[in-house]
């Protein structure tokens, strides 16, 4: 059973998502919250497997909440709920460790599949929003700073071993550790160690951020 908490400041959105999730017998609605602050308080009483959280909310938004969650509860998966006009918010949430993002108006089957994928260790990069996130990556800094960062990260790829590059590419494709094990004939522990080393070498915070980095054209 996958325990899920839904966080959105609009009750109608929460009710809609809860109704969708109730259609799947493998998903249990553990709780709901109206904002990040309320969520953090709820986590002290009930710890879920996956959190669906709106990126923009009053009191505490999804960006700040994600940072706190990932610092205190590293194993809890966070999926950002977003719309098309929230590029910079999405990118900052990913920088804070979000495991993926999806559009609020995504279909019921896609939402359920997304939760299960993230729960099983894969990341979630909604193809309809990925291009906008990459653009946000470029707009966070000015052109010169962006180019400097590009050159710096691109240079770091040289310190990755051929096998680490193979793993990085598969991670960017949304493959879970189990998937990578089967493709590269490695143990799950070995894959996990590779991912950790890759993130450390590239100074990235999550699998999702790695995918955005690769999507920016470095691999």
């Amino acid at each position: 059973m996958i325990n899920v908490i839904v966080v959105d400041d609009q009750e109608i959105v929460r009710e809609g998502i809860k109704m969708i999730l109730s259609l799947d017998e493998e998903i249990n609605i553990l709780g709901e919250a109206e904002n990040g602050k309320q969520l953090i308080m709820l986590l002290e009483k009930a710890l879920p497997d996956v959190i669906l959280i709106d990126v923009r909310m009053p009191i505490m938004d999804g960006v700040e909440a994600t940072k706190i969650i990932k610092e205190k509860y590293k194993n809890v998966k966070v999926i950002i709920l977003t719309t098309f006009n929230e590029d910079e918010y999405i990118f900052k949430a990913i920088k804070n460790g979000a495991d993926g993002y999806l559009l609020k108006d995504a279909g019921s089957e896609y939402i359920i599949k997304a939760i299960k994928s993230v729960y099983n260790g894969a990341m979630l990069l909604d193809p309809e929003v990925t291009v906008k996130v990459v653009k946000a990556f470029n707009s966070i800094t000015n052109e010169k700073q962006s180019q400097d960062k590009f050159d710096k990260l691109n240079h770091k790829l040289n310190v990755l071993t051929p096998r680490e590059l193979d793993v990085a590419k598969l991670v960017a494709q949304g493959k879970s550790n189990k998937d990578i094990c089967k493709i590269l004939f490695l143990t799950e522990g070995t894959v996990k160690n590779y991912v950790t080393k890759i993130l450390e070498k590239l100074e990235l915070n999550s699998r999702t951020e790695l995918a955005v980095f690769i999507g920016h054209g470095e691999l």
Side-chain angles (χ1 to χ4, degrees):
M1 186 67 69
I2 304 175
N3 291 311
V4 177
I5 288 180
V6 179
V7 189
D8 196 290
D9 59 316
Q10 298 183 54
E11 183 177 1
I12 189 171
V13 174
R14 297 198 306 273
E15 291 301 320
I17 294 175
K18 285 161 55 181
M19 184 176 297
I20 290 173
L21 300 186
S22 68
L23 300 174
D24 194 292
E25 59 184 16
E26 295 180 10
I27 296 177
N28 172 57
I29 305 298
L30 189 63
E32 61 182 292
E34 296 180 3
N35 55 65
K37 184 176 181 179
Q38 193 177 93
L39 168 65
I40 299 305
M41 294 174 63
L42 179 59
L43 293 180
E44 295 178 359
K45 302 177 182 178
L47 207 58
D49 299 303
V50 179
I51 296 173
L52 289 179
I53 184 169
D54 185 18
V55 71
R56 297 181 69 177
M57 296 177 293
I59 303 179
M60 182 187 291
D61 62 26
V63 176
E64 185 178 352
T66 296
K67 186 175 187 297
I68 295 174
I69 292 166
K70 285 301 182 177
E71 288 175 349
K72 297 183 66 176
Y73 313 104
K74 293 184 178 180
N75 293 327
V76 175
K77 307 295 185 180
V78 178
I79 297 177
I80 298 296
L81 297 173
T82 183
T83 62
F84 271 121
N85 56 356
E86 297 169 331
D87 305 25
E88 187 172 334
Y89 283 91
I90 301 170
F91 182 73
K92 287 182 178 179
I94 290 175
K95 290 285 290 182
N96 285 344
D99 299 282
Y101 52 86
L102 57 82
L103 294 173
K104 286 186 177 181
D105 59 358
S108 57
E109 291 185 4
Y110 187 84
I111 292 176
I112 290 173
K113 181 180 179 181
I115 290 174
K116 292 182 177 180
S117 296
V118 169
Y119 173 75
N120 288 319
M123 63 186 173
L124 177 66
L125 290 174
D126 191 312
E128 294 186 53
V129 195
T130 300
V131 173
K132 295 179 72 63
V133 175
V134 173
K135 288 181 179 179
F137 179 95
N138 294 325
S139 66
I140 297 300
T141 58
N142 62 41
E143 186 175 348
K144 182 178 185 304
Q145 290 174 320
S146 182
Q147 185 60 45
D148 288 345
K149 186 170 185 179
F150 173 92
D151 293 339
K152 181 179 179 182
L153 291 177
N154 196 42
H155 176 71
K156 287 179 181 176
L157 287 176
N158 295 327
V159 303
L160 295 184
T161 67
R163 181 57 86 185
E164 287 172 344
L165 284 171
D166 290 339
V167 172
K169 291 176 183 178
L170 290 171
V171 167
Q173 293 172 19
K175 303 295 184 184
S176 67
N177 286 355
K178 289 183 179 179
D179 293 331
I180 297 174
C181 288
K182 296 177 182 177
I183 295 172
L184 298 181
F185 304 103
L186 300 171
T187 65
E188 194 165 352
T190 299
V191 173
K192 185 176 181 180
N193 288 336
Y194 271 131
V195 173
T196 299
K197 289 180 181 178
I198 291 167
L199 294 178
E200 287 178 351
K201 288 182 177 181
L202 298 181
E203 296 182 1
L204 300 174
N205 299 315
S206 68
R207 300 167 76 100
T208 312
E209 193 178 348
L210 173 61
V212 172
F213 168 50
I214 291 177
H216 188 244
E218 284 74 8
L219 278 181

